[in-house]
Amino acid sequence: MNRTDGLVRRVKARDTESNGGSSSSAANHADQEDNKVDKEDEMEDCDSKETRLTLMEEVLLLGLKDKEGYTSFWNDCISSGLRGCILIELGLRGRIELERAGMRRKGLCTRKITLKSDTPTGDVLLDEALKHIKETYPPETIQSWIEYLSGETWNPLKIRYQLKNVRERLAKNLVEKGVLTTEKQNFLLFDMTTHPLTDNVIKCRLVKKIQDAVLTKWVNDPQRIGKRMLALILLAHASDVLENAFAPLNDDDYELAMRRVRELLDLDFEAESAKSNANEVIWAVFAAFTK
């Protein structure tokens, strides 16, 4: 009886896997990617889970004036930069990928984004972008999605894809995490909600992390730089906020840091994306910003 019972249980388990395996495989893969991202985060910094920031939040935090609580009015790059962060976050979390290069070896900028998993990430902005990508057919390129999510498109049918109030929503996330606070400031003709810095430790840790990555912890091989750190450096540059992280450095360290960032910008993104363990979405976003 015991032997027979064991056989019956094994058959049932096999049947269950065959019926539900295909529908849950994408979700399981997405969970594995999330766990992988969490482990990479833990290796790259020592932040607790309560203060761990997304790429979008880190780039915005670099761009915010500490006391004033808003980004520079002259910065017209941060909007598209934040959309690039969103796409890379989705790529790192295993939600999207690039279509196959094919026999004709399509370039990064011409390959379309395809859905890898529609499992929610738990982040409202990421899930909103993921929903748009899921509902779009035929698929679009990275460059197109940066434009759509930014609202910088001439196609009236694509305006609905725009993610609105991204900076304000990210700032509210940082308020909830105890990094920023909320105030009202009067600017002559109108009142504006601002988000001054309240936890200087988090921002100082972020700045030091970036400085260390291009100075004391620098490695010549970009494949050995953590994917998230690599994305942070290049997207902070694309968003015109990297200067804020390097401003406290002395002249020699500043020149060295900028030279190493230029080395990253001068890489052959196509060649780097073809290497083993590379995340193609990351390199495609880089290529879109340097096009």
Side-chain angles (χ1 to χ4, degrees), residues 30-207:
D31 289 340
Q32 290 172 4
E33 290 293 337
D34 284 341
N35 292 335
K36 185 177 177 183
V37 169
D38 285 342
K39 288 178 181 177
E40 287 181 356
D41 286 349
E42 289 169 5
M43 291 174 65
E44 288 186 2
D45 59 50
C46 300
D47 291 356
S48 65
K49 291 197 180 226
E50 289 74 27
T51 56
R52 184 169 298 152
L53 309 180
T54 63
L55 276 175
M56 304 90 73
E57 291 165 352
E58 289 178 324
V59 167
L60 179 67
L61 187 56
L62 287 174
L64 282 174
K65 299 174 186 291
D66 293 357
K67 294 181 180 179
E68 293 85 348
Y70 52 83
T71 57
S72 170
F73 294 125
W74 311 110
N75 188 341
D76 56 359
C77 301
I78 195 169
S79 178
S80 57
L82 291 172
R83 272 63 175 189
C85 290
I86 288 172
L87 294 174
I88 286 182
E89 277 283 0
L90 290 174
L92 287 173
R93 298 186 187 210
R95 293 336 191 254
I96 61 174
E97 61 186 351
L98 293 188
E99 65 178 347
R100 293 181 181 276
M103 294 293 291
R104 301 177 67 179
R105 298 300 303 173
K106 288 183 180 179
L108 287 171
C109 292
T110 59
R111 291 164 64 188
K112 309 296 179 62
I113 289 181
T114 60
L115 191 69
K116 193 173 181 181
S117 168
D118 62 356
T119 305
T121 65
D123 182 283
V124 176
L125 278 172
L126 293 179
D127 290 340
E128 189 176 335
L130 187 64
K131 181 174 180 287
H132 290 326
I133 293 171
K134 179 183 177 181
E135 294 174 350
T136 300
Y137 187 84
E140 298 280 2
T141 64
I142 288 277
Q143 181 69 55
S144 294
W145 273 114
I146 290 173
E147 293 173 359
Y148 296 161
L149 297 177
S150 303
E152 298 174 359
T153 174
W154 294 103
N155 188 339
L157 299 177
K158 305 296 184 181
I159 290 294
R160 63 190 180 92
Y161 293 143
Q162 181 183 5
L163 298 180
K164 298 181 179 179
N165 303 317
V166 168
R167 271 175 271 189
E168 179 64 21
R169 292 159 74 179
L170 289 173
K172 287 181 178 178
N173 288 349
L174 291 170
V175 170
E176 292 177 2
K177 293 180 179 181
V179 182
L180 305 177
T181 187
T182 301
E183 294 181 357
K184 287 278 188 183
Q185 288 196 28
N186 181 268
F187 288 88
L188 296 178
L189 299 177
F190 62 93
D191 290 332
M192 186 174 85
T193 301
T194 60
H195 299 283
L197 188 68
T198 185
D199 188 342
N200 193 49
V201 173
I202 300 298
K203 185 163 185 177
C204 286
R205 191 180 298 161
L206 171 63
V207 168

Side-chain angles (χ1 to χ4, degrees), residues 202-221:
I202 300 298
K203 185 163 185 177
C204 286
R205 191 180 298 161
L206 171 63
V207 168
K208 187 177 186 305
K209 184 172 68 171
I210 296 172
Q211 292 175 354
D212 287 347
V214 294
L215 293 173
T216 59
K217 297 181 180 179
W218 174 255
V219 288
N220 287 322
D221 182 2

